[in-house]
Amino acid sequence: MAQAPSMDYAGSVSSGQKHLGCFRVHTSSRLQCTGYDKKSRTNQLVVRAISVDHPQLDFSNPNWKKQFQEDFGKRFSLPHLRDVIDVEPRPTTFSLKSRTPLENLNGSVQESWNGYVNDDDRVLLKVIKFASPTSAGADCIDPDCSWVEQWVHRAGPRKQIYFEPQYVKAGIVTCGGLCPGLNDVIRQIVVTLEKYGVKNIVGIQHGFRGFFEHHLSEVPLSRHVVQNINLAGGSFLGVSRGGANISDIVDSIQARRLDMLFVLGGNGTHAGANAIHEECRKRKLQVSIVCVPKTIDNDILLMDKTFGFDTAVEAAQRAINSAYIEAHSAFHGIGLVKLMGRSSGFITMHASLSSGQVDICLIPEVPFILDGPNGVLRHLEHLIETKGFALVCVAEGAGQEYLQKSNATDASGNMVLGDIGVHLQQKCVPMHLMPSCAPYWVRMLYMAPLQVSVASQQGCATHTTCTYRYQKSSSPQDLLIQTAGCGIGA
């Protein structure tokens, strides 16, 4: 029997006649709780009941909802220049008015335009009130699945800004790995800044490295320069992982006289940008650090879809279709496709669903068993016996509990994962299937098109996502909020 995901006992929660024994699963951000009735003491269900982000909540306290909402508000509050610098707002230079005057129903011309967003506007994060933890997709805070409102900042253009556009120098940097849509975002930031009247816009080459490598000069950016970069894949400015000392980067920002820095990157990049932001606050610099979350994994909280995700799914589709043709054509063939997804399986799941050909989909969020009567390998046997072939799609972060742990990290500080694809190909499948399928022969085809998806030219959906998100912003503060709370500074 394969080992289950490692767990730590986290305690229990009682509510009425229901009792929940809760355990923390290391591959999850929440507690999983087994519920049983106090009278029968028989296990009935497994639900996500308590967020590990708030282990201090005492549900017996009648004011626990208020405490949760206050903690949530602090967590998603957006820092602003006003927090550390006495700066006066000024009317925005970004106009939302159309060239043709709008008319009222009676034919008169409208004198006011209600196209701006108030700073106090909020958006309700969750709109479903679950009646029970057993409801499909239930994501509960307490055992009774109480309704708790969670509000986040609303994105959109503001009436007031805090910079004089004609004197602003803005910088753009892309860090980490490649992602479809990077050039779209660069282009739309430049176009939007110019709509405000910002003329001095520069690109920092090859990530944070561009701040301390002297041979990497600034790239002047304008609408003319970036007009067609969205037609190519990769990054117009180049990317790199890691970087210099935070103090050195801020020194470089001061020396370059940057007023705004737009940082496009993932988890490691955002951690670095946050440190840059804190150093700027410490020095009381009038500098806005605005982060744009970059990931094809589509795993950013508060965002419906991250740019590049659709293009990655399209690229994954081609690999899946190729593997399907190979597996279907071979005698007792098994196609195995490994896709990107360190801690989330959105690409793998969406590519599998849209292909309609995948028999087994393995993702990090759902633990699975390899051996045993209900294991993955036994199901593969069944597919070979009934269909004559099978197609498996697995995310790179799935099944890590079956692989040897490594303390190695990459340049961005991420843990180096074991190769679940090779494990399934070379160890599990041949050893398990060959004896039971004799005298049949099983052909194993392994494809790992990881870099195909990230280096691809962005598709139509990615173009639309990037263009719509950034063309309607009215200041760095708005771009910050447009990125769903992942931006820093204002």
Side-chain angles (χ1 to χ4, degrees), residues 205-206 209-218 256:
Q205 296 190 69
H206 296 288
R209 186 176 299 274
F211 284 107
F212 61 90
E213 293 283 357
H214 298 296
H215 67 281
L216 297 175
S217 58
E218 296 178 349
R256 297 168 187 263

Side-chain angles (χ1 to χ4, degrees), residues 138-182:
D139 193 1
C140 305
I141 299 173
D142 70 324
D144 294 325
C145 245
S146 302
W147 171 252
V148 182
E149 294 180 349
Q150 300 174 46
W151 300 92
V152 293
H153 290 266
R154 182 188 177 193
R158 268 58 174 172
K159 283 186 176 182
Q160 294 180 325
I161 58 177
Y162 292 82
F163 288 91
E164 187 63 52
Q166 60 180 329
Y167 300 122
V168 164
K169 182 179 181 182
I172 305 174
V173 60
T174 56
C175 306
L178 291 176
C179 175
L182 278 174

Side-chain angles (χ1 to χ4, degrees), residues 327-341:
H328 182 266
S329 302
F331 181 70
H332 288 166
I334 298 177
L336 173 61
V337 180
K338 184 183 75 172
L339 299 174
M340 295 192 74

Side-chain angles (χ1 to χ4, degrees), residues 187-251:
R187 179 178 182 270
Q188 287 306 137
I189 291 177
V190 172
V191 171
T192 303
L193 286 171
E194 286 197 352
K195 288 181 179 179
Y196 286 104
V198 178
K199 300 300 182 183
N200 194 359
I201 309 171
V202 298
I204 308 299
Q205 296 190 69
H206 296 288
F208 290 139
R209 186 176 299 274
F211 284 107
F212 61 90
E213 293 283 357
H214 298 296
H215 67 281
L216 297 175
S217 58
E218 296 178 349
V219 179
L221 300 177
S222 64
R223 179 189 290 267
H224 176 73
V225 174
V226 303
Q227 187 63 41
N228 297 316
I229 66 172
N230 59 309
L231 302 180
S235 170
F236 177 73
L237 299 176
V239 296
S240 70
R241 298 185 183 275
N245 179 276
I246 296 299
S247 181
D248 293 338
I249 293 179
V250 177
D251 288 342

Side-chain angles (χ1 to χ4, degrees), residues 14-29:
S14 299
S15 176
Q17 293 299 317
K18 296 179 181 178
H19 189 83
L20 297 177
C22 300
F23 301 83
R24 174 180 294 182
V25 182
H26 291 314
T27 57
S28 173
S29 62

